[in-house]
Amino acid sequence: MSSEIEQVAEAQRLKDSGNLAAAEELCSRLIANRPRNAGALHLLGVILHLRGRQQDAIKLLQQAIEAEPKNASYLVTLGGNFAIAGQMDKATACFQKAVATDPSSVEAHYNLGLALKHQKQFANAESCFLEALALAPAYVDAIANLGFVVLNQGRPDEAKEIFSRALILAPTNPLSLTSLAKILAKEGKRNEAEALLRAFDPEPSEASLYQLASAYDHLSNNALSISALRHLVAKFPHSAEAHAALATALVGDLQMAEGILIGKKAISLDNKSASAWCSLGMAYQHNGLYDEAYEAFTRTLALTSAIGPRVMRDLMLPCIMGTNDEVQKSRQTFERNLDNLISENLISTNPFAEIGFTYFYLAYHGVNDVDLQKKIARFYQKIAPSLNFVAPHCHSEQRQKKRHVKTRVGFYSHFISTHSVSVCFAKVLEGLSVTDEFEIYLITDAPVTDKGVAKMYPSLKNRAVQTARDLLSAQNMVSSLELDVLVYLDIGMDPLTFLLAFSRLAPVQCVMTGHPVTTGISTIDYFLSGELTEPPDGDDHYSEKLIRFKHVGFVFERPEMPQLVKTRTELGMPNSVRLYTCPMMLQKIHPDFDEAIEKILKLDQNGVVLFVESAQSPAWGQLLRSRFDKTIDSSLRNRIVFIPWLLNQQDFICMIAQSDVILDPFHFGIGTTSIFVCAAGTPFVTKPGKFMRGRAGYAYCKLVDIPECITSDVDSYAAMATQIASDGPLRARLRATILQNNHRIFENDAAAPEFAQTIRQLAADHVEAI
């Protein structure tokens, strides 16, 4: 005969299969034989609850707890039944006892949170939901309810972030959808709110899920948009349009491998899907499959009259440079195709939607791009008249009427948090914002509620302005601020920023060195750079008027150093060798630098040159290795090593600290990586380039007083690198000097005052010119 435990399990199986009568009968027999059978009492209580006999259920559950008082799950069940019966005080007491009995019970914390939420004890409920999520971070209902109680404590921005977390896990979670829609409606974003609500039904339609994904895209939330599109594809697995939309979103989020798979699936469902072919073209280009990209864009053009695929195909640039001959040929093809495009009567009514990319990779070629960038600008001004927007207050007659008490200065970037651009300039903006002289605005199309924004710009958090990721909306929003001076932190990395720069949105418009190359755009008046980085002929490299700061135009925050430096083995680095590390993005590695690598390895038979794989694409490392196969002696190739990109900042610092020498690549050199190099004190060697973008290493050497690390040619570069690596006392002396002087980088108090004086002078000059 089966045991009582087996019979309770059988009753549970009957209950789960829907046979409540048989389950009730079996539990009743067990209790008749042994009245304190806790398992049977609890299960019978659950069954009677399901059959609508609430009071009988409560009595049985109480008996189960009397028999087994330390069972937290029984307490949770009883609490739930009290809550259904409207006895919230008793329910709360049960949940509190359950938490005390078993602090690791997720359901106990969660249900206590629900009870407190019902009683409008929102702060206490928040603590309960946080406890539940500490135990189960992906508990969607706990995340959604946390958002609800946070919202009801007057923290809508934080609530939006929390609801977004829930919706990434469950794209149609009702509480998150309706609450987020309520917030958006209050913000005046009624279209987005309505799109969310249309997805709130038991069986959302294909159209409503598209609208949901579009709403998230409009809110610049890639993760939510992709999550909604995954849900769409799962519900409509034979929809080519759904797969094409997901492929496009994945490619836009740099998830190239999956984007290619989904794009191919879309084409298998409908080989005339223009958007699927186009997304494949973009993914192939990003992965260095240029012939396949050309073919995909050509297939796209056969299916649509849109201008974007034509421009993407004809102005395609390699992400990773090939040999010098290949770089030169790609530039010649680019300019020839650009001339052809200019000669045609092409029109773009919405250039951001139709041509949403930039010419970012030109800057890495080590060539004066001023004429080519001007030509690119002329092309855009010709095909897209909407770019030539002028804010009303910028007309001369309006400028005479509009005089603000304080100079209004706007700083625009897509990259305002956790990016090299924000790392460079956030503290400068902070230094300006604490003065009473200027009215400062931080303007972006990225979410301004991100916690990183509040951390990086504590004084500016109330003057952070978020535009829609849409050209017309951004033009109107920035125009409405009636700025005296508009400073772009970067132009050329983000397509919306690039296109917005064609508008006249302030009487004075400047660009900083976030992307250190001229824009070619006639509406950008000044390029703000520094004496230390600019060569004597620097004025010839810009379409803008060059302003050289006497001090460097940035302030870096000193990074937190690891308490214990990991070993090379722990970091995946080679042991028992002299290590020459180039911890840069791989698009920076110019073919001219290959000669230096080869010379270092020939001079140092125990040397290894170390690179990190790309964080943007696993294909990029292979593309660079393929070039090395053509340019570097095959006998040396096994001493060029790649390790995975280190996402953890502390590990990145450890990698630099464990290196003998840091190599600054040619033409487009070290940037914010210098923060970690100078903080760790690892010596680095540099060869200044012809253009500012290749001279930052020179500036850092000057700042920390290691002039011997500045070299003049490839031979001296290789010789200096190998001397530092093999000479322990020299390496130690250089390290001590860097550590002694790195305060000049991390405590640069002169940057903000000089910046303020420059802004003041530019604004005054333009007032006088009216």
Side-chain angles (χ1 to χ4, degrees):
M1 186 170 180
S2 59
S3 67
E4 287 185 354
I5 293 175
E6 291 172 330
Q7 290 181 75
V8 171
E10 174 61 15
Q12 180 71 49
R13 187 193 66 76
L14 290 167
K15 173 255 179 188
D16 291 342
S17 66
N19 194 344
L20 298 182
E24 181 181 347
E25 182 181 352
L26 179 52
C27 285
S28 298
R29 286 204 309 267
L30 286 167
I31 294 167
N33 291 329
R34 191 163 70 86
R36 291 180 62 80
N37 185 325
L41 288 165
H42 176 260
L43 182 54
L44 184 55
V46 171
I47 293 167
L48 294 183
H49 159 68
L50 294 173
R51 305 195 81 176
R53 295 161 57 186
Q54 201 67 51
Q55 292 305 316
D56 290 338
I58 288 173
K59 289 177 182 177
L60 284 162
L61 292 169
Q62 288 173 325
Q63 292 175 40
I65 291 167
E66 287 174 7
E68 201 171 312
K70 297 295 185 181
N71 193 313
S73 66
Y74 292 1
L75 288 162
V76 170
T77 306
L78 178 59
N81 277 266
F82 276 134
I84 292 168
Q87 301 178 55
M88 291 307 301
D89 289 343
K90 290 183 177 180
T92 303
C94 279
F95 297 138
Q96 287 171 334
K97 190 172 181 180
V99 167
T101 299
D102 182 5
S104 67
S105 170
V106 176
E107 290 302 322
H109 289 290
Y110 173 69
N111 280 279
L112 179 56
L114 290 179
L116 294 169
K117 168 191 160 187
H118 180 82
Q119 297 169 74
K120 301 189 185 307
Q121 297 182 39
F122 296 125
N124 291 333
E126 179 181 353
S127 298
C128 292
F129 292 132
L130 287 171
E131 290 286 351
L133 289 168
L135 296 164
Y139 194 163
V140 174
D141 288 338
I143 298 171
N145 278 284
L146 174 64
F148 183 89
V149 297
V150 165
L151 177 61
N152 279 274
Q153 293 177 80
R155 289 143 57 195
D157 289 340
E158 187 179 345
K160 281 172 67 175
E161 292 182 13
I162 296 168
F163 291 134
S164 294
R165 280 169 52 199
L167 289 166
I168 289 170
L169 296 167
T172 56
N173 178 267
L175 178 58
S176 297
L177 276 177
T178 53
S179 300
L180 185 54
K182 180 180 177 181
I183 296 172
L184 294 174
K186 283 188 175 181
E187 292 177 348
K189 299 174 181 175
R190 188 159 298 278
N191 290 339
E192 290 85 351
E194 290 176 355
L196 264 63
L197 292 175
R198 277 193 290 272
F200 177 47
D201 63 65
E203 290 296 327
S205 67
E206 188 172 359
S208 68
L209 287 172
Y210 266 119
Q211 290 163 344
L212 179 64
S214 298
Y216 291 143
D217 183 60
H218 197 66
L219 295 168
S220 302
N221 195 319
N222 287 346
L224 277 177
S225 183
I226 289 171
S227 181
L229 289 168
R230 288 190 194 281
H231 190 59
L232 173 65
V233 165
K235 286 188 69 66
F236 300 96
H238 301 296
S239 169
E241 192 176 1
H243 284 83
L246 178 56
T248 300
L250 290 166
V251 169
D253 201 48
L254 300 184
Q255 298 184 48
M256 297 298 173
E258 187 181 3
I260 290 172
L261 288 174
I262 300 295
K264 287 181 175 179
K265 176 63 176 177
I267 289 167
S268 73
L269 293 166
D270 178 6
N271 68 359
K272 294 185 178 180
S273 172
S275 59
W277 281 112
C278 191
S279 65
L280 278 180
M282 291 186 287
Y284 286 145
Q285 178 191 358
H286 187 82
N287 283 355
L289 302 169
Y290 304 116
D291 292 340
E292 291 87 342
Y294 189 94
E295 172 64 20
F297 286 135
T298 301
R299 294 289 295 266
T300 308
L301 289 171
L303 298 166
T304 178
S305 59
I307 186 176
R310 168 76 187 282
V311 177
M312 282 188 273
R313 184 193 70 178
D314 291 358
L315 300 185
M316 186 164 30
L317 288 165
C319 304
I320 299 298
M321 288 173 276
T323 64
N324 274 313
D325 283 346
E326 289 167 347
V327 171
Q328 185 61 28
K329 287 177 181 176
S330 71
R331 289 181 67 89
Q332 290 171 350
T333 301
F334 179 95
E335 189 160 12
R336 182 173 62 252
N337 289 343
L338 178 60
D339 288 337
N340 291 337
L341 289 169
I342 291 173
S343 70
E344 298 181 31
N345 295 318
L346 301 173
I347 292 293
S348 173
T349 56
N350 188 342
F352 177 61
E354 295 168 346
I355 321 172
F357 64 98
T358 70
Y359 306 94
F360 176 70
Y361 297 108
L362 286 172
Y364 296 95
H365 294 169
V367 178
N368 187 353
D369 280 332
V370 64
D371 291 334
L372 186 54
Q373 292 288 359
K374 286 180 180 179
K375 187 179 288 189
I376 292 168
R378 288 199 302 273
F379 169 60
Y380 275 83
Q381 287 171 321
K382 178 184 177 186
I383 67 167
S386 62
L387 296 178
N388 304 314
F389 174 89
V390 179
H393 77 286
C394 292
H395 294 290
S396 57
E397 63 275 11
Q398 291 295 320
R399 286 167 57 191
Q400 291 176 340
K401 298 175 185 178
K402 298 278 186 181
R403 297 291 177 85
H404 304 122
V405 175
K406 296 181 181 180
T407 302
R408 289 189 182 179
V409 186
F411 291 89
Y412 189 98
S413 179
H414 175 72
F415 307 103
I416 59 168
S417 177
T418 62
H419 188 276
S420 59
V421 171
S422 53
V423 167
C424 280
F425 303 126
K427 292 180 78 67
V428 177
L429 270 64
E430 272 293 296
L432 289 175
S433 68
V434 297
T435 70
D436 290 330
E437 183 177 0
F438 304 108
E439 191 175 338
I440 303 290
Y441 294 91
L442 175 66
I443 315 167
T444 183
D445 59 281
V448 297
T449 57
D450 185 279
K451 291 180 182 178
V453 176
K455 180 180 178 181
M456 299 193 80
Y457 312 89
S459 301
L460 279 171
K461 59 185 178 183
N462 295 325
R463 283 175 285 167
V465 178
Q466 183 177 349
T467 74
R469 194 153 173 80
D470 170 79
L471 181 59
L472 180 60
S473 298
Q475 288 171 332
N476 289 327
M477 175 65 81
V478 180
S479 173
S480 70
L481 298 175
E482 296 188 343
L483 300 172
D484 298 304
V485 180
L486 174 57
V487 182
Y488 290 93
L489 301 182
D490 59 280
I491 295 175
M493 294 194 293
D494 174 70
L496 181 58
T497 308
F498 168 67
L499 295 171
L500 193 62
F502 285 88
S503 302
R504 173 59 68 179
L505 300 171
V508 180
Q509 300 194 148
C510 314
V511 63
M512 297 185 73
T513 56
H515 184 52
V517 67
T518 186
T519 67
I521 300 172
S522 60
T523 48
I524 302 300
D525 308 306
Y526 300 99
F527 196 103
L528 308 180
S529 187
E531 285 186 351
L532 269 178
T533 50
E534 288 293 340
D537 63 344
D539 298 78
D540 298 335
H541 305 157
Y542 300 96
S543 59
E544 308 83 4
K545 182 176 180 180
L546 177 62
I547 293 178
R548 294 175 169 90
F549 291 135
K550 295 187 185 304
H551 300 88
V552 290
F554 55 80
V555 183
F556 292 147
E557 184 174 347
R558 188 182 292 274
E560 179 183 347
M561 299 300 291
Q563 292 184 348
L564 182 66
V565 176
K566 288 185 177 180
T567 66
R568 287 186 176 183
T569 300
E570 290 173 315
L571 295 166
M573 301 168 73
N575 276 308
S576 304
V577 295
R578 284 184 283 272
L579 210 49
Y580 303 82
T581 299
C582 187
M584 313 297 170
M585 295 290 191
L586 298 185
Q587 68 263 26
K588 287 187 175 185
I589 311 304
H590 193 280
D592 285 349
F593 189 57
D594 299 3
E595 183 183 359
I597 296 170
E598 186 175 64
K599 286 182 181 292
I600 288 169
L601 294 175
K602 285 181 176 179
L603 287 170
D604 187 353
Q605 298 298 314
N606 193 39
V608 167
V609 174
L610 181 72
F611 292 95
V612 287
E613 297 281 4
S614 172
Q616 295 172 289
S617 172
W620 287 11
Q622 186 54 51
L623 290 170
L624 186 57
R625 288 188 282 274
S626 295
R627 188 185 82 204
F628 289 159
D629 288 339
K630 301 176 186 176
T631 61
I632 294 177
D633 190 322
S634 60
S635 66
L636 307 173
R637 284 283 290 104
N638 67 328
R639 289 193 284 129
I640 301 175
V641 175
F642 288 72
I643 65 171
W645 182 262
L646 299 171
L647 293 173
N648 182 284
Q649 181 175 294
Q650 297 285 288
D651 288 350
F652 192 80
I653 295 171
C654 290
M655 176 187 68
I656 288 169
Q658 287 287 7
S659 301
D660 294 299
V661 183
I662 298 299
L663 301 178
D664 184 18
F666 300 165
H667 304 310
F668 197 123
I670 193 169
T672 52
T673 304
S674 62
I675 298 172
F676 310 113
V677 174
C678 292
T682 305
F684 57 99
V685 62
T686 189
K687 182 178 81 70
K690 295 179 181 179
F691 311 103
M692 177 267 290
R693 54 192 178 271
R695 297 174 62 85
Y698 168 87
Y700 297 132
C701 285
K702 289 286 189 180
L703 284 169
V704 298
D705 197 23
I706 51 170
E708 57 266 63
C709 293
I710 302 170
T711 63
S712 58
D713 54 39
V714 176
D715 287 334
S716 61
Y717 181 97
M720 189 67 216
T722 52
Q723 183 182 352
I724 294 169
S726 59
D727 187 337
L730 171 61
R731 194 164 63 254
R733 177 177 65 77
L734 290 170
R735 183 177 187 277
T737 302
I738 293 169
L739 293 175
Q740 179 181 344
N741 296 326
N742 66 15
H743 65 276
R744 299 173 187 172
I745 292 175
F746 300 122
E747 294 147 33
N748 172 23
D749 296 331
E754 186 176 10
F755 201 109
Q757 175 56 33
T758 299
I759 296 289
R760 188 182 305 121
Q761 188 62 55
L762 292 176
D765 289 348
H766 278 261
V767 169
E768 292 176 6
I770 296 175

